[in-house]
Amino acid sequence: MKSNKGKGLLGLIVSLALVGLFAYFGYTTMSDIKLGLDLAGGVSITYQAKEENPSAEDMKDTIYKLQQRVQNYSTEAEVYQEGNNRINVDIPGVSDANTILEELGKPGSLIFADETGKTILNGNQVATAKPVITENNGIKEYMVDLTFTEEGKNLFADVTTKNVGKRIAIIYDGKMYSNPVVREAITQGQCQISGMTSYEEAETLASTIRIGSLSLELEELRSNVVGAKLGQEAITTSLKAGAIGFAILAVFMVVVYLIPGIASVIALSIYVGIILVLLSAFEVTLTLPGVAGIILSVGMAVDANVIIFTRIKEEIGYGKTVKSAIQAGFNKALSAIIDGNVTTLIAAGVLFWRGSGTVKGFASTLAIGIVLSMITALFITKFVLNMLFHLGFEDPKYYGIKKAGKVIRFLSKKKLWFAGSLLVIVVGLAFLGVNKSQTGSILNYSMEFKGGTSTNVTFNEDMSLEKISSEVVPVVEGITKDADVQTQKVAGTNEVIIKTRTLTVDEREALNKAMVDHFGVESEKITAESISGAISQEMKRDAMIAVIIATICMLLYIWFRFKDIRFAGSAVLALVHDVLIVLTFYALLKWSVGSTFIACMLTIVGYSINATIVIFDRIREYLKTQVKLGLEEVVNLSISQTLTRSINTSLTTFIMVFVLYILGVSSIREFALPLMVGIVCGTYSSVCITGSLWYVMTVQKKGKKETAKVTANHGKKS
């Protein structure tokens, strides 16, 4: 026993040292984390089209292509229209505008030229471009594969037919990358650019070509270094809320789970430290939606620990020793943890691949958090827990005992659950129609979706971000009667950019008068322009496509893992249910729908699917081991035994978001409130809806008389 205690003490010292080490590195790297425009500011560049009256289509096309191009600098960059012929580009984490001005404003110049120098194709006629590596006699060659549009394919086929034996140069930005001889007509619509010295060079060229030519030639009108949209107060209160929320979470885990709770607090402390280190190492731009990803991943890290600890309590309740209960608890919780995290990781991967802007930032932080949550739960928590056991904490009273409790007959109320959910969804759909008739929009879209008015005010003093938030913003909100106000300070000047919903002529005059009366601003130093939404139709489309693909991928994964399409189908229907319920609250209470709306919905989806997987995992287990039970009994037993886990996990995450809501500024609260509704809704759907849906699907397909056979068949497979 002495040797075990010695090992345990050493392990605990190592664990505490790790906590201190990662806390130190996490603290020291906080200043190195790249923050988005909403949290830290960046560079704002305004371009003007050289064409005097560009068409709306050309402006829209140029904005979208610029959005794709600025992704190379930051996934959180914003591009939106100002006035009739101006385009604003806001890039976080950049302080020197000169390094990017020339590249962003230059039209793409990929051309294919014949031997006379005549341009025969251009970048607009290229559909896709991707880097490839080939090997010739042991020597690697880096190239870009090009696929033409239908128009480009026909043109290239015609040109290569006429120029067999001659050269066609591939030129980008005046530099010839390849000048091959046409040996035969190329009619399949594909060719290659060679001459790159590295894969990175090929990848960069392919990325630039994919963006294509800008539809309009642009010239720089102005560039400024701007401060955070949300202000320093938002950062300070968010950090304070995170610290308080984590402290409450730690106390809750220790009180409810005793020694395992202590192990989880140590593991979660290490987890938070590693998160901060990795955000800095991978240069992930952290914005408010990114914070949502971290909140979800912390919730999932807690969730994994709760699943394990609940299993340990159950094993002790079955009469096992603490040591064997710990081992069995981790083993039995493994499949639920892996399935729950992998389904959410699939969603994060698809969202990063197909999404843009804040969606991509959300996906980055979520993916990092998910991977770490599995590592900390399955390895670090287990290591610390074993060390505490070897220190002498061997009595079952330190771990808790969960004996078989009363089985709640959830399925007996399934019609009530379905009817209640359907009623709320119908009310939501009805209010979407009401809002459409009253305001012209089904939801209360913020300026990020529908644009607004940008007012530039040059004050008589260099106002701090805190003073702008506490004195200027309330005056603006009093005129607009809307909390959706964004302010940015232009570095090195007294100028402040105030973005609001679209103002009427009377409201513009009232705002100008308020600036003069309250702050003594000279009226000629106030200018206003209409701006488009920073979230374009294309970005909304990309986000929608990403969500659809992610949902399909999750469905396929659950189908593969559970060998039953009904598990996958009911899980996906529950996700749709959660989204529609939260959408009802957005419509009914007219919550502002901005960039955080997408992140909020994705957070709810990720949270809900994880809770559902835990219940399904228990149903799958009992279908194999409790073969004497009827199908309804299996479902009721599974939900009842995972109910404590469902409530505790939701409660811990809810606490963190609630503290954020209480302490946060108005923009933070607009994000936290629907997230709290989503957490409650996700828990409700996992407990009351998913099991009932699966049961109904199974009974309908097999028939009531055959449901017993389903259970028996599952038992035989084991």
Side-chain angles (χ1 to χ4, degrees):
M1 183 60 71
K2 287 184 179 179
S3 60
N4 282 339
K5 284 188 177 181
K7 289 178 183 178
L9 184 60
L10 178 62
L12 186 60
I13 292 172
V14 170
S15 300
L16 293 174
L18 283 172
V19 172
L21 183 66
F22 283 112
Y24 170 76
F25 278 116
Y27 175 79
T28 55
T29 55
M30 276 294 291
S31 59
D32 299 326
I33 294 175
K34 293 170 64 178
L35 300 177
L37 276 166
D38 53 356
L39 298 179
V43 164
S44 180
I45 305 168
T46 303
Y47 291 108
Q48 184 169 284
K50 287 188 175 181
E51 187 178 326
E52 191 171 340
N53 294 304
S55 68
E57 188 63 33
D58 282 345
M59 287 292 289
K60 181 180 176 182
D61 188 52
T62 302
I63 287 171
Y64 180 63
K65 288 175 179 175
L66 273 175
Q67 283 170 339
Q68 303 304 306
R69 185 170 291 186
V70 296
Q71 298 295 310
N72 294 326
Y73 297 96
S74 170
T75 59
E76 309 297 335
E78 295 179 351
V79 183
Y80 52 93
Q81 184 173 337
E82 178 184 304
N84 295 323
N85 64 342
R86 296 176 185 175
I87 297 174
N88 273 355
V89 180
D90 293 344
I91 305 176
V94 179
S95 57
D96 183 7
N98 294 326
T99 59
I100 54 177
L101 277 171
E102 183 181 353
E103 182 176 342
L104 282 181
K106 187 190 301 179
S109 57
L110 174 73
I111 61 171
F112 295 77
D114 61 19
E115 290 185 338
T116 66
K118 179 184 176 182
T119 300
I120 52 179
L121 280 93
N122 59 47
N124 283 332
Q125 288 149 337
V126 176
T128 61
K130 60 182 180 181
V132 293
I133 303 175
T134 61
E135 196 165 318
N136 188 12
N137 295 325
I139 300 174
K140 288 185 178 179
E141 294 183 3
Y142 306 96
M143 295 181 285
V144 174
D145 267 349
L146 300 182
T147 302
F148 297 104
T149 62
E150 194 61 32
E151 178 190 12
K153 174 184 174 181
N154 295 332
L155 280 172
F156 202 63
D158 184 52
V159 168
T160 52
T161 300
K162 295 177 180 177
N163 286 272
V164 173
K166 298 179 182 180
R167 292 184 180 274
I168 291 181
I170 302 174
I171 303 168
Y172 191 82
D173 281 351
K175 178 182 176 182
M176 184 185 295
Y177 277 87
S178 186
N179 191 25
V181 174
V182 180
R183 303 193 184 280
E184 59 182 356
I186 302 174
T187 59
Q188 300 303 312
Q190 293 180 318
C191 76
Q192 288 184 326
I193 302 177
S194 58
M196 270 61 72
T197 58
S198 67
Y199 182 78
E200 288 72 24
E201 184 182 348
E203 190 172 38
T204 300
L205 177 60
S207 175
T208 309
I209 291 171
R210 281 196 300 271
I211 295 166
S213 303
L214 295 180
S215 299
L216 296 170
E217 190 170 354
L218 305 174
E219 58 185 355
E220 178 204 350
L221 190 63
R222 61 178 179 265
S223 63
N224 301 307
V225 177
V226 295
K229 287 181 181 179
L230 301 181
Q232 184 61 42
E233 186 184 356
I235 302 173
T236 304
T237 55
S238 296
L239 290 174
K240 186 188 296 183
I244 294 173
F246 190 84
I248 296 173
L249 175 66
V251 172
F252 177 86
M253 292 299 290
V254 172
V255 170
V256 174
Y257 293 103
L258 307 174
I259 290 299
I262 295 174
S264 72
V265 171
I266 294 174
L268 288 171
S269 301
I270 295 173
Y271 167 82
V272 172
I274 299 175
I275 277 278
L276 297 177
V277 172
L278 290 183
L279 286 176
S280 175
F282 287 105
E283 297 186 341
V284 175
T285 303
L286 186 62
T287 63
L288 195 58
V291 172
I294 293 177
I295 289 173
L296 176 57
S297 61
V298 169
M300 293 183 72
V302 174
D303 181 44
N305 282 288
V306 170
I307 294 170
I308 294 166
F309 300 159
T310 302
R311 283 288 194 174
I312 291 173
K313 281 185 175 184
E314 288 175 359
E315 295 301 315
I316 293 174
Y318 295 149
K320 289 188 177 181
T321 63
V322 171
K323 186 174 183 179
S324 59
I326 292 174
Q327 186 65 40
F330 276 91
N331 290 340
K332 289 189 175 183
L334 183 63
S335 62
I337 293 172
I338 290 177
D339 288 339
N341 283 276
V342 168
T343 47
T344 313
L345 191 60
I346 288 171
V350 174
L351 293 171
F352 185 83
W353 167 51
R354 289 289 309 184
S356 57
T358 54
V359 174
K360 187 166 284 191
F362 168 84
S364 302
T365 52
L366 179 58
I368 291 172
I370 289 169
V371 173
L372 278 182
S373 70
M374 283 195 289
I375 293 173
T376 52
L378 296 176
F379 297 101
I380 298 178
T381 300
K382 186 176 184 179
F383 172 76
V384 175
L385 191 56
N386 281 322
M387 293 306 101
L388 289 171
F389 174 79
H390 288 305
L391 270 176
F393 296 99
E394 301 175 3
D395 196 310
K397 69 181 181 181
Y398 296 130
Y399 299 84
I401 301 172
K402 184 179 179 181
K403 296 182 179 179
K406 182 181 177 182
V407 176
I408 303 172
R409 298 178 62 221
F410 285 97
L411 291 188
S412 65
K413 302 286 194 302
K414 59 182 180 294
K415 290 182 180 179
L416 180 63
W417 310 137
F418 294 159
S421 294
L422 189 60
L423 177 62
V424 174
I425 291 170
V426 168
V427 169
L429 294 175
F431 266 87
L432 291 177
V434 171
N435 293 341
K436 179 70 175 178
S437 63
Q438 291 180 346
T439 65
S441 298
I442 59 174
L443 295 169
N444 178 26
Y445 292 110
S446 72
M447 71 184 81
E448 292 160 308
F449 275 88
K450 63 181 182 181
T453 300
S454 177
T455 305
N456 285 40
V457 182
T458 302
F459 290 89
N460 299 324
E461 61 176 303
D462 186 9
M463 301 187 81
S464 65
L465 290 171
E466 289 77 9
K467 193 171 184 180
I468 292 170
S469 297
S470 61
E471 296 183 16
V472 178
V473 171
V475 173
V476 178
E477 289 178 346
I479 294 168
T480 63
K481 303 294 188 290
D482 184 16
D484 188 14
V485 177
Q486 296 177 0
T487 59
Q488 288 176 297
K489 187 177 180 298
V490 180
T493 71
N494 294 346
E495 186 179 351
V496 176
I497 302 169
I498 304 171
K499 296 178 183 178
T500 63
R501 62 167 175 77
T502 301
L503 303 179
T504 63
V505 174
D506 290 342
E507 286 172 331
R508 287 193 184 192
E509 290 176 356
L511 180 58
N512 292 355
K513 187 176 184 302
M515 293 297 106
V516 174
D517 293 345
H518 286 81
F519 307 103
V521 177
E522 298 175 29
S523 57
E524 60 269 20
K525 292 184 178 180
I526 305 174
T527 60
E529 285 281 0
S530 295
I531 56 175
S532 69
I535 301 175
S536 67
Q537 289 295 331
E538 289 81 5
M539 290 177 72
K540 285 187 272 189
R541 181 200 64 202
D542 290 345
M544 205 59 169
I545 292 172
V547 171
I548 292 170
I549 294 174
T551 303
I552 293 171
C553 289
M554 285 192 288
L555 187 148
L556 293 174
Y557 177 80
I558 298 171
W559 186 5
F560 168 75
R561 284 289 290 158
F562 286 83
K563 305 294 188 295
D564 188 342
I565 188 64
R566 285 158 295 188
F567 279 117
S570 51
V572 170
L573 283 175
L575 296 186
V576 175
H577 162 275
D578 296 342
V579 169
L580 291 176
I581 294 291
V582 176
L583 196 64
T584 295
F585 279 84
Y586 269 101
L588 192 62
L589 303 178
K590 292 182 171 58
W591 289 340
S592 178
V593 176
S595 61
T596 57
F597 169 77
I598 298 172
C600 180
M601 287 299 189
L602 296 174
T603 304
I604 292 164
V605 167
Y607 196 85
S608 177
I609 191 69
N610 197 46
T612 299
I613 289 294
V614 174
I615 295 172
F616 282 174
D617 181 74
R618 191 64 67 99
I619 292 174
R620 176 176 58 180
E621 177 186 335
Y622 284 162
L623 285 173
K624 295 178 180 179
T625 59
Q626 304 293 332
V627 295
K628 293 182 179 180
L629 295 179
L631 202 61
E632 184 172 350
E633 293 175 289
V634 167
V635 176
N636 285 330
L637 180 61
S638 299
I639 299 174
S640 299
Q641 291 195 344
T642 56
L643 184 62
T644 301
R645 169 262 158 217
S646 298
I647 293 173
N648 287 350
T649 304
S650 299
L651 188 59
T652 52
T653 311
F654 188 90
I655 287 169
M656 293 193 69
V657 180
F658 182 70
V659 174
L660 197 64
Y661 176 79
I662 294 296
L663 298 180
V665 295
S666 59
S667 54
I668 299 288
R669 288 197 294 271
E670 281 185 357
F671 165 73
L673 187 57
L675 201 55
M676 288 191 290
V677 172
I679 291 170
V680 174
C681 178
T683 306
Y684 161 76
S685 68
S686 295
V687 172
C688 301
I689 301 295
T690 51
S692 299
L693 277 174
W694 178 82
Y695 175 79
V696 169
M697 289 180 184
T698 303
V699 169
Q700 284 184 340
K701 185 170 182 178
K702 296 290 182 182
K704 293 181 179 179
K705 293 181 180 180
E706 296 184 32
T707 50
K709 294 181 181 179
V710 176
T711 307
N713 288 337
H714 278 278
K716 291 175 183 177
K717 290 177 183 177
S718 64

